[in-house]
Amino acid sequence: MKTIVILAISAAVASFTADAVSAEARPRVIVSSDIGGTDPDDFQSMVHLLVYADRLDLEGLISSPFGPGRKDHILEVIDCYAKDYTYLRTYSDRYPNPDALRAITKQGEIDVAPYAGVRRPTEGSDWIVKCARRDDPRPLHVLVWGGIEDLAQALHDAPDILPKLRVYYIGEPNKKWSPDAYQYIATQHPTLWIIEANSTYRGWFVGGNQKGEWGNKEFVTRNVAGHGALGDYFNTHLGGTIKMGDTPSVGWLLKGTPEDPSQPGWGGQFVRAWERPFVRFDRLTTKEDRMEAFGILELVLPLGEQVPAIPEARLLVENQSLIGHVAGDGTVRFRFCPKEAKAFNFTIRGNVPSLDAKSGGITVVFPSSDLTKQPSAKFPNWWTDNPDPALAEGVHQGAKTVNTHREEFLRDFAARMERCKSPASKQKGVSAAANTK
């Protein structure tokens, strides 16, 4: 009897210690999202984030859109979470109260940065600074799903926070809208610890086992739709088909080695970055000119003669209208970030006679795998997609380092969605019944 009591006490102490260590080990997280903006997949990623909220120490949810999208869209998802909270709480008392989540939801920048890369502090950028300066030994993970303007502004206003930050940036689709903020960070804060995922993230919804129940549509039908308010909300976006393009940033913290991006994990596997691709021309380029995909192209063009008092010019390229920066030195400057490897055409429109209606182009190519042999000393903590062709899913470099885990991370997500459908006591009953068959 004495032995049983001692074992029971030991087990209780071990359980308490494990819980304490787990609580302390939870990563501190701020998410910056363009939810409600140009891509609806952020709604899906926000649902995923909240069903894993007990695994993370969420400190901030920032709306950082290009164009439409505001913090009300984050609050909309939290309202669904509130409806499922009673059930979620039965699985873990670490699920944050809905009101606590509402309190850390902030509005960030709603416009793209000017040529300088920063404009003004926002509620979102100030919150990043406040959280980073807290007396906490843990690093602060900033997951950037949208515009990177708020991060750039925070670093500009409080450069002392840089050593505390660990950034996972979903680059490609967002970098094209934020070339100036990105270039500011690359030039002014090159020692920032950052994963720049320009294509690896696509492995969450491209490739891997997509047969039967693992298909992007079928998985949602079976495991998400009808699973609480969050599941039904998820199902209303993108036709109930998985995209969740920002979720690899969360997956990185859930299963992997966050301090070492070279190791495998749900969020992908990365290599040390080479020099960040940037090319500048003082003329209109043509398709004979080359640049690296996801790099920054800068055109510095003379205004010429007969310049109006307030010169204005825009670079029109595909679905973008990029505002030219009049530098005050007789030139106008444009920055463009191509998200694909192909030939681009562009045209200039404005009130500057020497530039209006002028056209040009650029040919974009994917980075060579040889670049992994040239890690940049200037960017000692910068990581990016592995360009090894063996790890590409079609044209998406590095995507196989995510989709190789597809069944594992989707199976885990399915189990999480069950929490929204019924309380823990009922789930235990179902499991017990299944075990007796």
Side-chain angles (χ1 to χ4, degrees):
M1 182 66 178
K2 190 174 184 179
T3 301
I4 294 174
V5 171
I6 291 173
L7 288 175
I9 293 172
S10 298
V13 170
S15 176
F16 175 81
T17 303
D19 287 346
V21 171
S22 177
E24 183 178 309
R26 283 188 302 161
R28 303 172 63 206
V29 176
I30 287 179
V31 171
S32 173
S33 169
D34 60 347
I35 189 168
T38 56
D39 194 338
D41 74 318
D42 285 54
F43 288 106
Q44 296 184 343
S45 290
M46 191 64 68
V47 168
H48 177 276
L49 173 75
L50 293 181
V51 297
Y52 282 96
D54 63 319
R55 291 279 308 277
L56 310 169
D57 191 356
L58 286 175
E59 296 193 14
L61 300 170
I62 300 171
S63 169
S64 56
F66 166 76
R70 297 293 183 269
K71 78 173 187 179
D72 284 348
H73 291 100
I74 299 176
L75 295 173
E76 195 174 289
V77 188
I78 295 173
D79 288 343
C80 293
Y81 171 85
K83 295 176 182 177
D84 295 337
Y85 179 66
T86 300
Y87 284 173
L88 290 169
R89 187 75 173 174
T90 66
Y91 292 87
S92 170
D93 60 7
R94 296 201 185 101
Y95 276 105
N97 185 284
D99 284 337
L101 292 176
R102 294 182 180 109
I104 62 171
T105 301
K106 310 295 179 180
Q107 183 60 59
E109 182 57 78
I110 60 175
D111 295 315
V112 296
Y115 182 81
V118 293
R119 175 184 282 107
R120 60 188 171 234
T122 67
E123 183 185 32
S125 67
D126 285 343
W127 191 250
I128 294 174
V129 173
K130 181 176 181 178
C131 292
R133 284 178 170 169
R134 284 176 180 156
D135 185 13
D136 192 313
R138 295 171 297 168
L140 178 63
H141 294 270
V142 181
L143 313 183
V144 182
W145 299 359
I148 202 168
E149 276 78 2
D150 287 303
L151 176 62
Q153 189 69 50
L155 287 167
H156 172 271
D157 296 343
D160 60 285
I161 69 173
L162 185 146
K164 183 67 76 172
L165 304 182
R166 303 292 183 271
V167 179
Y168 191 122
Y169 176 41
I170 304 294
E172 175 228 58
N174 300 309
K175 190 176 173 184
K176 85 176 246 189
W177 300 108
S178 302
D180 294 304
Y182 172 89
Q183 194 60 22
Y184 167 78
I185 293 174
T187 56
Q188 301 302 313
H189 304 282
T191 61
L192 177 68
W193 196 106
I194 180 172
I195 294 173
E196 180 184 336
N198 291 311
S199 55
T200 296
Y201 75 93
R202 287 182 176 270
W204 200 272
F205 57 94
V206 174
N209 182 7
Q210 300 209 18
K211 296 179 181 178
E213 65 180 306
W214 305 112
N216 284 336
K217 178 73 172 178
E218 186 63 23
F219 177 85
V220 175
T221 300
R222 293 191 189 190
N223 302 294
V224 181
H227 288 63
L230 284 170
D232 287 339
Y233 188 79
F234 183 109
N235 191 46
T236 64
H237 293 87
L238 295 169
T241 300
I242 284 177
K243 186 179 180 186
M244 303 168 69
D246 303 294
T247 299
S249 64
V250 180
W252 180 253
L253 297 175
L254 297 175
K255 185 68 176 292
T257 311
E259 66 273 14
D260 185 358
S262 70
Q263 298 302 307
W266 287 356
Q269 196 168 359
F270 301 89
V271 295
R272 276 280 314 285
W274 49 95
E275 293 297 322
R276 295 296 74 208
F278 174 83
V279 290
R280 176 181 289 160
F281 291 90
D282 59 3
R283 58 175 173 81
L284 280 171
T285 52
T286 71
K287 290 182 181 178
E288 298 301 313
D289 295 302
R290 299 284 188 272
M291 69 171 294
E292 188 178 310
F294 320 123
I296 303 293
L297 167 66
E298 180 166 332
L299 300 177
V300 182
L301 306 177
L303 292 171
E305 299 179 355
Q306 299 180 339
V307 181
I310 304 177
E312 297 178 352
R314 289 177 176 263
L315 187 75
L316 307 182
V317 50
E318 297 201 326
N319 65 337
Q320 291 185 276
S321 178
L322 304 170
I323 300 173
H325 168 68
V326 179
D329 60 357
T331 68
V332 60
R333 305 181 180 205
F334 301 97
R335 283 181 180 154
F336 168 58
C337 176
K339 58 178 281 188
E340 299 176 79
K342 66 177 188 179
F344 287 84
N345 297 309
F346 54 76
T347 302
I348 298 175
R349 293 294 183 187
N351 63 2
V352 180
S354 66
L355 295 176
D356 186 43
K358 293 292 192 299
S359 60
I362 191 77
T363 296
V364 180
V365 297
F366 281 124
S368 164
S369 59
D370 290 338
L371 290 171
T372 61
K373 302 173 184 176
Q374 305 169 33
S376 172
K378 180 181 177 182
F379 299 97
N381 304 308
W382 208 291
W383 300 80
T384 194
D385 312 292
N386 191 331
D388 183 346
L391 301 177
E393 188 67 56
V395 299
H396 306 305
Q397 295 184 331
K400 284 185 176 179
T401 68
V402 172
N403 66 33
T404 188
H405 306 287
R406 181 178 173 87
E407 289 182 44
E408 184 182 4
F409 62 63
L410 286 184
R411 186 178 292 110
D412 199 72
F413 181 38
R416 286 277 160 164
M417 291 310 302
E418 287 294 329
R419 297 183 174 196
C420 298
K421 190 176 182 180
S422 57
S425 57
K426 186 173 182 180
Q427 286 296 318
K428 289 176 183 176
V430 170
S431 298
N435 290 333
T436 61
K437 292 180 180 180

